[in-house]
Amino acid sequence: YSLETRDEIVLSVGALDSEPDLKLGGTVTLKRGVESHTFRIVGFVRRTGGAAASTFPAYGHYETISRFAGLADMATSVRVRSLDPGKAYTDQLVERLRARYEAASVPVVNVLSRSTLQGNVISAFNIIVTLMIIVAALIAVVGGLGLAGTMSLSVMERTREVGVMRAVGAASPDLRAMFV
């Protein structure tokens, strides 16, 4: 949705469960403490994803919503780039930043270094790769059994031919080459 004004909002369809009178083009008044703000409803969105879906029941103009929620002029994330790419230094820097934020009474929800994040992603992909290797091994075993069965049948069907060729004077390497 492209919100035309700061007073438009897109609500989660779940809002209709508690307020069935809400409709497209209507208005909704959100209250936070003694403060309230009226928004025009310009759409509804269906969210999926479990608990995370219920944390964002509405979408609107960022400045209006953040000011109403008491989050104006606040950061939701901080990214720091270090000149020293070493893991030990990065982990030390992360802990120093966490300590400084906590000393300044700034709540820190989560701190991740790039190496930790990369490790998490790699371990998730390793699970997928391991499953793919297992499936490939199973396919190879089934294919090998099929090939072995076909070869043994072929040898058994040619037993008479091998006997005739031996009687005529064929050498073992010649017979082996024929089967290979």
Side-chain angles (χ1 to χ4, degrees), residues 85-149:
K87 181 172 174 23
Y89 179 79
T90 303
D91 290 342
Q92 202 176 48
L93 179 63
V94 164
E95 287 310 312
R96 285 196 337 243
L97 285 171
R98 178 194 296 272
R100 285 196 86 173
Y101 280 119
E102 288 175 356
S105 298
V106 175
V108 177
V109 175
N110 194 6
V111 177
L112 285 175
S113 66
R114 175 181 266 177
S115 61
T116 303
L117 186 59
Q118 284 176 339
N120 292 346
V121 171
I122 287 170
S123 66
F125 274 105
N126 282 344
I127 293 170
I128 295 169
V129 169
T130 302
L131 288 174
M132 291 173 77
I133 289 172
I134 290 170
V135 169
L138 287 173
I139 290 171
V141 166
V142 169
L145 289 173
L147 183 62

Side-chain angles (χ1 to χ4, degrees), residues 2 14 44 48 54 67 75 109 120 124 137 139 143 160 164 171 175 178:
S2 174
F44 291 95
T48 59
S54 64
R67 189 166 272 95
V109 175
N120 292 346
I139 290 171
R160 284 190 184 154
V164 170
L175 291 173
M178 183 179 73

